[in-house]
Amino acid sequence: MLTFIIAVVIGGVIGWLASIVMKTDAQQGIFLNIVVGAIGSFLGRLLFGSFLGGGRLRDNPWDPMTLLAAFLGAVILLGIINLVRRGRVR
């Protein structure tokens, strides 16, 4: 249970940092930051897991490569969302 809570908190922080990088922070609340961090972690593991060696955010939340893969996945996810919403990436 504790690892799930840690993964939610770290997912929220990663989603928040990605929203700052993509300039969507004013549009999102804490819940969307957690969702973006969680989905971004999954997406980052799929895209970059073999290159960076990152695991799942829930299994090893303190691994730097896992955090990097999750952050990159969250940034890509927000880029895709911006592309669909506005027709361009900011």
Side-chain angles (χ1 to χ4, degrees), residues 21-81:
V21 168
M22 296 301 290
K23 296 179 176 70
T24 60
D25 190 40
Q27 302 167 3
Q28 295 181 194
I30 190 166
F31 180 72
L32 280 178
N33 283 335
I34 292 171
V35 170
V36 165
I39 295 173
S41 171
F42 177 73
L43 184 64
R45 187 178 72 230
L46 286 176
L47 296 176
F48 305 111
S50 61
F51 301 119
L52 297 175
R56 290 177 27 175
L57 190 60
R58 192 165 174 200
D59 288 341
N60 192 3
W62 304 113
D63 180 32
M65 293 301 132
T66 300
L67 294 174
L68 180 62
F71 177 73
L72 291 174
V75 168
I76 290 171
L77 176 65
L78 286 176
I80 292 169
I81 290 171

Side-chain angles (χ1 to χ4, degrees), residues 22 78-80 82-83 86-90:
M22 296 301 290
L78 286 176
I80 292 169
N82 283 342
L83 187 64
R86 295 182 186 93
R88 62 184 167 89
V89 177
R90 282 192 201 187

